[in-house]
Amino acid sequence: PVIHDTRAGLRINARCQVLDLNGTVIAGLYCGGESAGGLSLHGLPRAICQGLIAGRDAVTAAVPR
């Protein structure tokens, strides 16, 4: 059998930043697609949307202000 979607995965916020068990952002760690928990979307649309968000925010965070 093939498992397509699960409810398990890394906990993320709206900026696709990974959260620890206390809900604190882990600096510099982003996640999207099937490795992120939750049920908002699944498959390719989820990977594309969250990948764009995570990529944009990772680049923005890396640029010195």
Side-chain angles (χ1 to χ4, degrees), residues 38-51:
L39 299 171
S40 60
L41 294 169
H42 66 278
L44 193 54
R46 178 179 177 166
I48 290 170
C49 293
Q50 290 179 337

Side-chain angles (χ1 to χ4, degrees), residues 21-51:
L21 294 175
N22 297 316
T24 305
V25 171
I26 301 173
L29 188 58
Y30 296 85
C31 179
E34 298 300 325
S35 58
L39 299 171
S40 60
L41 294 169
H42 66 278
L44 193 54
R46 178 179 177 166
I48 290 170
C49 293
Q50 290 179 337

